[in-house]
Amino acid sequence: MLLHSAMSPEPAATNPLREGLSSRALPAPCTIVIFGATGDLTHRKLIPALYNIAADGELPPGTAVVGFARRDKSSEGFRSELEAANREHSRQGHQDPVWAEYARHIHYHRSEFEDPEGYRTLGEQLAAIEARRGGPGNRLFYLACAPEYFRPILARIAEAGLNRAPNGGWARVIVEKPFGTDLPSAQRLNAELAATFPEHETYRIDHYLGKETAQNLMVLRFGNAIFEPLWNNRFIDHVQITCSETLGMEGGRGAYYDASGALRDMVQNHLLQLLSLVAMEPPVDLSADGVRDAKINVFRSLRPLVGPEAVARNVVRAQYTAGSIDGRGVPGYREEDRVRPDSMTEPYVALRLHLDNWRWEGVPFYIRMGKRLPKKATEISVHFRKAPGVLFNRMHVEMRENVLVMRIQPDEGISLRMISKIPGANLRMEPVKMDFHYRTSFGKASPEAYERLLLDAMSGDATLFARRDEVETAWRFIDEIEHAWHETAAPPPMAQYPAGSWGPAEADALLAGDGRIWRRL
Ligand code: BG6
């Protein structure tokens, strides 16, 4: 049994930890043009995120939204659809006065993505909004549509000259994932972007970087003098990153997912980004390039897994078979809606990675990601080397290692497992856990990742966005594994696990071979 002690005090009426949590200066107002405005992302994430920024008093007055999409509808109709979505998905309760003020600046623009005329009239609409608002014509283009439209949209924006903001303003672009499906497609997309927007105005979004706990990784590592001296292969035995989801292929997702798989959908971006924050050297400063220079060195030191044998030794891919989640029967992956019955796409992947640099020589990083696992949780655990058993070895207790756990979601927080004496005359020992929970310590729910990232893009801060070289280096690593799976004569096998279990036995064997086990979540 784990004893439990809290590191932080009970929340008080005035929480001292919240003092000094400053809001930053408001960015200049801009017009956000969302391509794919009738889609799921806009309704569930983008519009509620902007609403929450407004409710927190951080949306610059005059900020406008133009929804660009193909369906026929009026601005009024668009606003009432968004209002319904906001009531359902907003982090904070829907308040009519806040909504009314925010929605006043939301407009709908109907056009095909390829139609030059639609961009000419968009230009007129932007000019009218900018004239009413006054000041520089700042524009933030958000590509939230299917990726096949990225190229024509960028080309039309450039032809219409919308990427040159008037009156000394700026023009930026945010690109949603998937950012390519392999290295060549990511390079093509990067070239198309570079032809329309300079790199410093290009924001490749990875919503995991906007999660509060992901940002706190850097503060934990570099704001606390006690960790950094231990953060290397002398003291750390290994690191685990787990992302488990209960969802399968609901809502017609099967078509997209079956062409992607866990490795491309989550590892290439979100999980390698988390890895880079755990493993990077201290950046020279906190500027966007300072941080991203430190991260790219992690990507560059990933030891490549080349060829089917290396991939089979270090990577496990698997599909779920029928099983149950929360007592409800669910189908196997190949029986899911819009998944091919002979699919060789993996909804689960586990990897053993090595970083070839001085700090991490000999320290494995284990990553696992799976759909239809027993619970939704993402965490990073840093497993320290065990204390030598010399003093306590006659007591026949197994010495457990210290583990520092960073819970990315849910129940965001940090815990540290230590060995402690059980009170009493005998010397008996048990692991205990010191626990820090964001919610209770700060008395405040963390903002959604999209809130932080939208505000950053409006403020011109690209620190939490992926740079061109990061994306391409990550794809280079992933492509080798995909190649071994799909383009070799004797590809590594596809394992199986029942839906609702913790993944295939082969993933346990991957760690067991190293004398380790996966942490229980
Ligand atoms: C998306 C993936 O990028 O991230 C999804 O495409 C995944 O497959 C999702 O479910 C997970 O995000 P979150 O924030 O719910 O952990």
Side-chain angles (χ1 to χ4, degrees), residues 188-309:
R188 271 198 305 278
L189 178 52
N190 273 328
E192 285 153 18
L193 279 162
T196 312
F197 293 93
E199 177 66 23
H200 71 276
E201 303 288 26
T202 301
Y203 291 71
R204 298 170 190 80
I205 205 160
D206 186 311
H207 77 282
Y208 265 60
L209 289 177
K211 291 185 190 274
E212 196 66 45
T213 28
Q215 297 165 46
N216 195 37
L217 269 168
M218 274 204 289
V219 177
L220 177 82
R221 286 192 55 196
F222 305 126
N224 296 291
I226 59 170
F227 291 121
E228 200 47 27
L230 308 180
W231 214 258
N232 55 54
N233 58 2
R234 277 191 65 203
F235 297 99
I236 292 179
D237 177 72
H238 73 282
V239 176
Q240 298 185 14
I241 302 179
T242 297
C243 175
S244 78
E245 294 188 1
T246 51
L247 288 179
M249 298 296 121
E250 293 87 345
R253 238 184 150 235
Y256 154 75
Y257 197 85
D258 204 40
S260 173
L263 191 66
R264 289 184 173 128
D265 182 53
M266 292 283 295
V267 178
Q268 185 273 341
N269 38 58
H270 309 324
L271 301 186
L272 286 184
Q273 286 289 341
L274 291 183
L275 169 73
S276 72
L277 293 174
V278 176
M280 70 183 185
E281 294 300 317
V284 283
D285 58 30
L286 290 179
S287 66
D289 278 333
V291 172
R292 297 186 299 178
D293 286 346
K295 281 164 56 197
I296 184 70
N297 285 336
V298 175
F299 292 121
R300 289 171 56 199
S301 55
L302 271 170
R303 187 181 301 165
L305 296 173
V306 182
E309 279 101 55

Side-chain angles (χ1 to χ4, degrees), residues 11 15 410-413 436-446:
N15 185 335
D411 184 21
E412 292 90 341
F436 152 68
H437 300 259
Y438 267 80
R439 199 176 306 255
T440 45
S441 294
F442 292 106
K444 185 182 178 190
S446 305

Side-chain angles (χ1 to χ4, degrees), residues 305-320:
L305 296 173
V306 182
E309 279 101 55
V311 170
R313 241 181 299 117
N314 293 289
V315 186
V316 173
R317 58 173 169 164
Q319 292 177 337
Y320 51 85

